[in-house]
C-alpha cells in the first residue's frame, strides 16, 4: 500500500525538495483524524516520500556520514519498533549498507577529525547490528567507540567538540557523543566507562552555566582564547534554544544506559532537573513554544523555533515517563506538543506533513567566523523539514502516542 502511495506521488511530480502548502491547524487535524495514522508514522512516511533514498535526508545531494542521518534514522527505527512496517526498517538499513564497508570502515568518516558530530551518526547501527548480525556493523561501532580513546580533552576530562575547536565544550557535543558512549558501554559491559560519561554532563554544566541568567550558554572555550568567548568565563554570549535542546535530550537518552547505582548518576538527574526548570520558565505562555535565543525570549527579531521546541517536548515527556523529573512537567510537555501541532505542522494536498520554522544551523568560530551575538542567531537560515526538527518531532510524537495509550485514548 505504501509503495503504491509513493508511486502516486511520483506521478504527481512530487520531488524531494517540494515546498509544502500551508494549512491551518484545523485542516491538519482533520487530515490526521481521517488518515487514522499517528503523527509519528505520518512524519516518517512524509520524509521517505520527500527523500526516496535514505542518504538524501537533510537535503543531501551526495553521500555524507552525518549526525542528522543518525538522528532521523534512529527516530524512524523507534517508529518501526512500535508500529512495524518493514519499509521503514529497509529504509534505515539501506543507509547503513551504503555507508558501512565490509571491513567496518565508514564512507566519509574520518576518525582523525575527532568530531563528536560524526559519532552520533552511528547510534542507529546498534539496532541494525541486532537485526542483521552482520559483523561489519559491529566493526563500525567499535571503530567509532575507539575515537573516544584519543578524543582530545581538557584538563577536567571534558572532550573537545572537534579537533578544529580546541578546548571548546559545546552543549551540542554532549548529545553527539555521550549517549553513544553510554550505550556502547552498556551493550559491551564496559562498566568503567560510565564514570567518564557522567563527567561529560557535569563538566559541561560547570563550564556553561551562567548564574546571571540562570541558564546554560551555548558553549565555553575553556582556554578563553576565542574571540566569541567571554575573557573571564570563556562562555559564549547567548543561550541558544537548540543547544539546550541537545543537552536535554542527551540526559534522557544516556540515563537509560547508566546503572542506577553508578556514582554520579544522581548528580546527572539533579542537573537535568535544573535544565527542565529553565525550560518550564521560558515556555511562551501563549503558544507553549520556545524562542531561538532563550535569554532574549520575546525580544524584537527573536522567533519561536521548532527544533528546540520539539527537543524540549520530547525530553520532558521521556523524563517524566522515566521518573527523572516531577510528573507536573507533563503539563508543560503537553502544552508544548499541542503548540507544535498548531504552529509548526502543515499538511499539503497530498497528505504529506511538514515541520516549519527550524533554524538550519548555528555555531561558533570556524572559517566564516561566527561571534555568536544576538543578530547572528536570529539571522541564520530558517527552513522547513530540517532533520534536527523532524527527528525530535517523531520522538516527541512517539512519547505522546504512548501517553495516549496509557490513558486509554484511541488515536
Amino acid at each position: 500500500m505504501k509503495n503504491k502511495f509513493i508511486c502516486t506521488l511520483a506521478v504527481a511530480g512530487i520531488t524531494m525538495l517540494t515546498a509544502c502548502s500551508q494549512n491551518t491547524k484545523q485542516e491538519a487535524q482533520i487530515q490526521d483524524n481521517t488518515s487514522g495514522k499517528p503523527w509519528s508514522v505520518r512524519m516518517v512516511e512524509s520524509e521517505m516520500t520527500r527523500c526516496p533514498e535514505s542518504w538524501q535526508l537533510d537535503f543531501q545531494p551526495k553521500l555524507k556520514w552525518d549526525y542528522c542521518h543518525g538522528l532521523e534514522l534512529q527516530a524512524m527505527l523507534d517508529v518501526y519498533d512500535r508500529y512495524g512496517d518493514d519499509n521503514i526498517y529497509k529504509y534505515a538499513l539501506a543507509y547503513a549498507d551504503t555507508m558501512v564497508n565490509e571491513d567496518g570502515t565508514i564512507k566519509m568518516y574520518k576518525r582523525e577529525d575527532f568530531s563528536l558530530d560524526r559519532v552520533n551518526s552511528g547510534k542507529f547501527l546498534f539496532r541494525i547490528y541486532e537485526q542483521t548480525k552482520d559483523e561489519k556493523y559491529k566493526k563500525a561501532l567499535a571503530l567509532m567507540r575507539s575515537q573516544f580513546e584519543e578524543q582530545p580533552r581538557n584538563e577536567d576530562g571534558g572532550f573537545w567538540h572537534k579537533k578544529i575547536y580546541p578546548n571548546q565544550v559545546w552543549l551540542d557535543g554532549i548529545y553527539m557523543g555521550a549517549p553513544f558512549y553510554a550505550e556502547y558501554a552498556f551493550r559491551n559491559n564496559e562498566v568503567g566507562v560510565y564514570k567518564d560519561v557522567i563527567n561529560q554532563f557535569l563538566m559541561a554544566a560547570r563550564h556553561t552555566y551562567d548564574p546571571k541568567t540562570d541558564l546554560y550558554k551555548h558553549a565555553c572555550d575553556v582556554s578563553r582564547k576565542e574571540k566569541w568567548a567571554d575573557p573571564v568565563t570563556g562562555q559564549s554570549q547567548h543561550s541558544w534554544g537548540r543547544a539546550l535542546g541537545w543537552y536535554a535530550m542527551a540526559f534522557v537518552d544516556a540515563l537509560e544506559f547508566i546503572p542506577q547505582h553508578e556514582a554520579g548518576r544522581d548528580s546527572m538527574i539533579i542537573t537535568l532537573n535544573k535544565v527542565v526548570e529553565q525550560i518550564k520558565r521560558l515556555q511562551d505562555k501563549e503558544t507553549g513554544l520556545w524562542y531561538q535565543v532563550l535569554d532574549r525570549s520575546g525580544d524584537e527579531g527573536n522567533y519561536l523555533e521548532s527544533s528546540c521546541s520539539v527537543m524540549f517536548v520530547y525530553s520532558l515527556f521521556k523524563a517524566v515517563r522515566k521518573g527523572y523529573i516531577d510528573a507536573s512537567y507533563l503539563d508543560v510537555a503537553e502544552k508544548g506538543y499541542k503548540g507544535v501541532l498548531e504552529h509548526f505542522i502543515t499538511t499539503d494536498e497530498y497528505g504529506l506533513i511538514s515541520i516549519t520554522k527550524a533554524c538550519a544551523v548555528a555555531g561558533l568560530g570556524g572559517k566564516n567566523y561566527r561571534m555568536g551575538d544576538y543578530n547572528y542567531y536570529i539571522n541564520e537560515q530558517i527552513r522547513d523539514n530540517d532533520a534536527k526538527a523532524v527527528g525530535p518531532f517523531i520522538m516527541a510524537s512517539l512519547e505522546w502516542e504512548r501517553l495516549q495509550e496509557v490513558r486509554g485514548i484511541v488515536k
Side-chain angles (χ1 to χ4, degrees):
M1 180 177 177
K2 182 179 183 304
N3 289 336
K4 182 179 179 181
F5 178 58
I6 292 176
C7 290
T8 302
L9 292 175
V11 171
I14 301 301
T15 66
M16 179 176 68
L17 298 179
T18 298
C20 294
S21 60
Q22 302 294 305
N23 290 65
T24 64
K25 174 195 174 186
Q26 289 77 17
E27 290 171 323
Q29 190 64 52
I30 290 171
Q31 295 231 21
D32 179 58
N33 290 338
T34 56
S35 73
K37 293 181 179 179
W39 285 111
S40 63
V41 174
R42 291 191 67 196
M43 182 59 83
V44 170
E45 291 184 347
S46 296
E47 278 290 272
M48 291 170 64
T49 300
R50 281 188 285 264
C51 307
E53 302 292 338
S54 46
W55 59 263
Q56 296 173 319
L57 289 170
D58 197 42
F59 314 100
Q60 293 303 321
K62 59 184 179 180
L63 296 183
K64 184 179 182 182
W65 185 250
D66 187 69
Y67 71 90
C68 288
H69 289 78
L71 176 66
E72 273 208 60
L73 292 173
Q74 182 166 335
M76 289 182 176
L77 287 175
D78 288 342
V79 174
Y80 166 71
D81 287 345
R82 182 167 177 81
Y83 295 110
D85 188 350
D86 286 341
N87 288 318
I88 299 174
Y89 171 72
K90 291 174 183 176
Y91 188 79
L93 177 62
Y95 182 72
D97 194 47
T98 297
M99 300 303 295
V100 179
N101 302 315
E102 287 303 316
D103 62 357
T105 55
I106 304 167
K107 295 179 181 69
M108 319 306 290
Y109 168 72
K110 296 180 180 179
R111 182 181 179 276
E112 62 272 18
D113 287 346
F114 293 108
S115 170
L116 293 176
D117 288 350
R118 301 296 170 254
V119 174
N120 186 71
S121 317
K123 283 192 298 191
F124 83 106
L125 292 182
F126 287 114
R127 278 183 283 180
I128 295 294
Y129 175 63
E130 271 187 348
Q131 296 268 353
T132 64
K133 299 303 180 185
D134 190 327
E135 285 295 305
K136 74 175 186 177
Y137 299 123
K138 183 178 182 180
K139 293 175 182 177
L141 288 163
L143 174 64
M144 286 180 287
R145 163 65 181 89
S146 73
Q147 180 177 318
F148 293 106
E149 295 302 316
E150 298 177 45
Q151 185 78 17
R153 297 173 182 254
N154 293 315
E155 289 184 1
D156 60 3
F159 292 131
W160 292 6
H161 186 59
K162 299 179 183 180
K163 185 179 179 180
I164 61 171
Y165 295 143
N167 308 298
Q168 295 177 34
V169 176
W170 295 22
L171 293 183
D172 320 29
I174 305 302
Y175 179 83
M176 300 303 160
F180 176 96
Y181 199 18
E183 185 168 358
Y184 194 96
F186 177 80
R187 289 174 178 268
N188 293 277
N189 199 32
E190 294 187 6
V191 294
V193 164
Y194 297 128
K195 180 179 179 180
D196 198 13
V197 174
I198 291 170
N199 184 53
Q200 301 309 311
F201 285 90
L202 304 184
M203 167 278 306
R206 289 194 302 272
H207 286 308
T208 63
Y209 180 68
D210 175 19
K212 294 179 181 178
T213 60
D214 188 26
L215 289 171
Y216 294 100
K217 295 292 184 69
H218 184 172
C220 177
D221 171 20
V222 178
S223 69
R224 297 164 176 78
K225 294 178 180 178
E226 285 291 331
K227 289 185 291 183
W228 56 256
D230 183 280
V232 177
T233 66
Q235 293 174 355
S236 57
Q237 295 183 48
H238 292 286
S239 299
W240 177 39
R242 188 155 73 228
L244 191 65
W246 289 126
Y247 194 40
M249 292 202 303
F251 275 100
V252 297
D253 289 354
L255 279 166
E256 278 194 279
F257 301 106
I258 300 174
Q260 291 190 11
H261 64 269
E262 190 67 33
R265 188 177 188 271
D266 289 347
S267 296
M268 273 185 70
I269 292 177
I270 290 171
T271 306
L272 171 60
N273 273 269
K274 193 168 188 65
V275 170
V276 299
E277 286 170 9
Q278 297 170 10
I279 292 171
K280 179 180 180 179
R281 184 175 82 240
L282 292 171
Q283 185 177 38
D284 181 60
K285 290 181 172 57
E286 182 179 345
T287 64
L289 303 172
W290 289 266
Y291 280 88
Q292 162 79 341
V293 184
L294 295 174
D295 54 301
R296 296 285 298 273
S297 293
D299 285 2
E300 183 178 356
N302 209 352
Y303 62 94
L304 297 168
E305 198 273 336
S306 63
S307 69
C308 74
S309 294
V310 288
M311 287 177 176
F312 293 155
V313 169
Y314 164 70
S315 301
L316 291 169
F317 273 139
K318 187 171 181 178
V320 168
R321 177 167 62 85
K322 292 289 187 176
Y324 306 144
I325 62 177
D326 190 80
S328 62
Y329 282 100
L330 201 58
D331 292 337
V332 182
E334 289 196 66
K335 184 176 182 179
Y337 187 70
K338 291 174 182 177
V340 168
L341 294 180
E342 180 175 358
H343 296 281
F344 296 141
I345 299 300
T346 64
T347 308
D348 73 4
E349 60 187 303
Y350 301 99
L352 296 186
I353 66 169
S354 290
I355 184 165
T356 64
K357 299 179 183 176
C359 173
V361 65
L364 297 161
K367 292 180 180 179
N368 298 316
Y369 205 86
R370 300 162 293 184
M371 281 296 292
D373 57 284
Y374 181 66
N375 285 334
Y376 163 71
Y377 283 110
I378 64 173
N379 286 299
E380 272 288 18
Q381 180 188 1
I382 301 171
R383 63 187 183 183
D384 297 349
N385 296 320
D386 188 286
K388 299 175 286 293
V390 171
F393 174 75
I394 294 170
M395 297 188 295
S397 295
L398 283 169
E399 291 291 337
W400 168 260
E401 290 150 21
R402 182 182 287 109
L403 180 63
Q404 305 317 300
E405 187 175 278
V406 169
R407 290 171 170 172
I409 300 174
V410 179
K411 288 294 288 179

